[in-house]
């Protein structure tokens, strides 16, 4: 079962769950398929369904919640869309922001882990030094 969604250029058959969001995309980005190069309706449908799935993930969840592999997969799909002349720069930019955010978060976690290890090592050195002082104090008494 499919639904048909009309753009400024033509109509596309998409999964029923994707129809409303595809309409929303066409309203916000009416030129998105202006130069779309894919001729066969089945392949067009695949592109449009993929477009909506990426859009849904971006719209309905926080990009920070996505994993790198999810963003990489979406990015590859967007590159294919661009190669076939879909105007999806706006979507690519959102993904790039998410990627950069995840990269910063990854670096932040590594720094925090390094700080924790350094704190633990320092605490161990302090404990050892205090034990040595205690031994010296015992020898003095």
């Amino acid at each position: 079962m499919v639904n048909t969604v009309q753009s400024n250029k033509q109509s596309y058959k998409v999964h029923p769950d994707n129809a409303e969001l595809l309409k929303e995309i066409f309203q916000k980005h009416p030129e998105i398929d202006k130069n779309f190069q894919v001729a066969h309706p089945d392949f067009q449908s695949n592109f449009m369904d993929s477009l909506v799935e990426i859009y849904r993930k971006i719209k309905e969840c926080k990009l920070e919640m996505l994993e790198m592999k999810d963003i990489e997969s979406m990015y590859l799909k967007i590159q294919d869309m661009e190669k076939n002349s879909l105007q999806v720069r706006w979507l690519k930019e959102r993904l790039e922001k998410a990627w950069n955010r995840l990269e910063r978060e990854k670096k932040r976690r590594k720094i925090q882990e390094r700080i924790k290890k350094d704190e633990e090592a320092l605490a161990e050195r302090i404990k050892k030094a205090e034990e040595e002082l205690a031994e010296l104090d015992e020898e003095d008494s």
Side-chain angles (χ1 to χ4, degrees):
M1 183 172 209
V2 294
N3 283 18
T4 302
V5 178
Q6 182 69 40
S7 75
N8 286 346
K9 180 180 176 184
Q10 68 183 68
S11 60
Y12 300 97
K13 295 181 189 291
V14 294
H15 189 278
D17 292 344
N18 293 338
E20 287 305 312
L21 281 179
L22 186 57
K23 288 177 188 175
E24 183 177 315
I25 292 169
F26 287 152
Q27 288 172 350
K28 290 182 178 182
H29 306 278
E31 301 294 315
I32 192 168
D33 64 336
K34 180 180 176 182
N35 300 313
F36 192 30
Q37 300 293 319
V38 177
H40 195 279
D42 290 347
F43 292 121
Q44 290 176 347
S45 295
N46 288 337
F47 273 92
M48 292 301 157
D49 280 327
S50 290
L51 172 67
V52 171
E53 288 167 18
I54 294 169
Y55 183 74
R56 179 180 287 115
K57 284 181 183 178
I58 289 174
K59 183 178 177 175
E60 292 178 359
C61 76
K62 293 183 179 178
L63 291 176
E64 303 85 36
M65 304 304 287
L66 296 173
E67 295 183 21
M68 291 286 203
K69 64 181 180 177
D70 297 324
I71 292 176
E72 287 171 351
S73 174
M74 289 187 276
Y75 198 81
L76 286 174
K77 288 178 182 179
I78 287 174
Q79 285 179 323
D80 284 344
M81 291 174 195
E82 287 180 322
K83 287 176 188 172
N84 288 282
S85 298
L86 273 176
Q87 308 291 322
V88 288
R89 184 178 189 166
W90 55 276
L91 196 56
K92 186 177 183 180
E93 289 171 356
R94 296 272 312 265
L95 278 179
E96 287 171 349
K97 286 179 184 178
W99 178 269
N100 291 335
R101 234 181 268 135
L102 284 173
E103 282 291 316
R104 285 192 306 274
E105 186 56 36
K106 193 174 165 183
K107 288 177 185 176
R108 191 174 288 117
R109 278 195 302 268
K110 283 184 180 182
I111 292 169
Q112 289 170 338
E113 287 172 12
R114 197 172 66 232
I115 288 170
K116 185 177 178 181
K117 285 180 184 177
D118 289 349
E119 286 174 340
E120 289 170 355
L122 178 60
E124 186 61 35
R125 287 198 305 269
I126 289 171
K127 181 180 175 186
K128 207 174 215 181
E130 287 173 343
E131 288 171 356
E132 289 174 8
L133 281 174
E135 285 177 19
L136 290 173
D137 288 344
E138 282 179 19
E139 289 176 11
D140 285 343
S141 36

